[in-house]
Amino acid sequence: MHIHWLQWGGISELKNLFNQIHENLLHGSGICVVKNVPIDDDNVSYLSIAKSFSGELLRDSRMPSRSLEADTVIYRVEEDPLNTDAYAHSATNAHFPLHTDCAHFLYPAEVVMLLCVQPSTNDGDGKTILTDVDDILTMLTEQQISELAISRFTWWQGTNKQVRVPILTKSDDGRWRIRFNQATLMREMNASDFAKSSVLQSLIEVLEKIELNPSNSISLTANDLLIVHNQRVLHGRTAFTSNTSRLLKRIRVKVNDL
Ligand SMILES: O=C(O)CCC(=O)C(=O)O
Ligand SMILES: [Fe+2]
């Protein structure tokens, strides 16, 4: 994985900063970290970057009990002792395996932003794990790739909505895209069909290997803003010690041109 490191240079430099982020997400590695993004109660700098995409800032309405900010577009990723949703890794201190945000949506957000307000106070835990689809594909066989690109997996089977789409798709520019979240897929497919699928088990083994390679993880520090192309890069995090006040603020954006 390759990270494009950038610096916040104030509102006057926003256009230039945004152009570099956009260019990276469009043609580059799909992973940027902007350093020194100021944090204030109104999230002014953070929202100014998010709004530069001219896309739709998505609300996470799934968990009304969670604290939300800025007209509910900012979701606080923090350990929540009151959380009872077993699928809401973001509200726990547990390991969150490599995944796509909104993997079960018909159209997952193209951009996921995570602003680190406070890292875990325990050095070396709560690390961010990143990998891009091309690195994953180098560890799969041709046969596995074509199965992942052809099989329509059951991502969601709600009454008014069904989402049955492959894990790998090719976009018009010939680049691969990926959607994956093992917990949500297992929930919809049922555990025994999920366990019987050898291609899914192989993919999970590959992702576990990627997670174990230290060169695929970084420790975000306060004021670091991670921006990933959510359809080309998987992200996750290692477990962290409970009660360490780790806090990230998350924004998801639907962007037509990415
Ligand atoms: O806690 C993290 O570092 C990642 C959180 C995350 O991936 C999410 O909330 O979707
Ligand atoms: Fe996520």
Side-chain angles (χ1 to χ4, degrees), residues 40-51:
D40 60 72
D41 289 348
D42 293 328
N43 304 290
V44 174
S45 309
Y46 189 16
L47 286 168
S48 73
I49 300 174
K51 288 178 180 166

Side-chain angles (χ1 to χ4, degrees), residues 75 77 89-90 96 99 101 112 114 126-128 220 235-237 240 246 248 250 252:
Y75 177 99
V77 177
H89 292 74
S90 58
F96 195 159
H99 65 280
D101 274 19
V112 169
L114 289 162
K127 286 185 104 167
T128 301
L220 294 176
H235 65 280
R237 63 126 200 270
F240 57 95
R246 180 180 187 270
L248 308 185
R250 187 186 69 206
R252 296 169 173 159

Side-chain angles (χ1 to χ4, degrees), residues 59-70:
R59 289 171 167 75
D60 192 337
S61 52
R62 179 184 51 146
M63 297 175 68
S65 71
R66 301 287 305 113
S67 322
L68 295 158
E69 298 182 11

Side-chain angles (χ1 to χ4, degrees), residues 124-174:
D125 70 14
K127 286 185 104 167
T128 301
I129 318 160
L130 297 160
T131 190
D132 67 56
V133 60
D134 297 324
D135 283 348
I136 297 169
L137 295 194
T138 63
M139 297 167 77
L140 293 166
T141 65
E142 285 298 320
Q143 163 83 25
Q144 288 166 336
I145 293 171
S146 74
E147 252 185 84
L148 292 170
I150 290 166
S151 305
R152 290 175 172 271
F153 294 89
T154 303
W155 287 99
W156 183 251
Q157 40 190 350
T159 33
N160 298 319
K161 191 176 73 161
Q162 304 241 323
V163 180
R164 293 184 207 286
V165 286
I167 287 169
L168 294 175
T169 48
K170 234 180 209 174
S171 51
D172 295 342
D173 62 2

Side-chain angles (χ1 to χ4, degrees), residues 28-86:
S29 67
I31 308 173
C32 298
V33 176
V34 185
K35 298 213 59 89
N36 303 318
V37 176
I39 294 164
D40 60 72
D41 289 348
D42 293 328
N43 304 290
V44 174
S45 309
Y46 189 16
L47 286 168
S48 73
I49 300 174
K51 288 178 180 166
S52 298
F53 285 100
S54 306
E56 184 192 353
L57 275 50
L58 300 181
R59 289 171 167 75
D60 192 337
S61 52
R62 179 184 51 146
M63 297 175 68
S65 71
R66 301 287 305 113
S67 322
L68 295 158
E69 298 182 11
D71 194 20
T72 76
V73 298
I74 297 181
Y75 177 99
R76 291 168 66 95
V77 177
E78 63 191 333
E79 186 183 11
D80 177 0
L82 299 177
N83 172 54
T84 52
D85 181 345

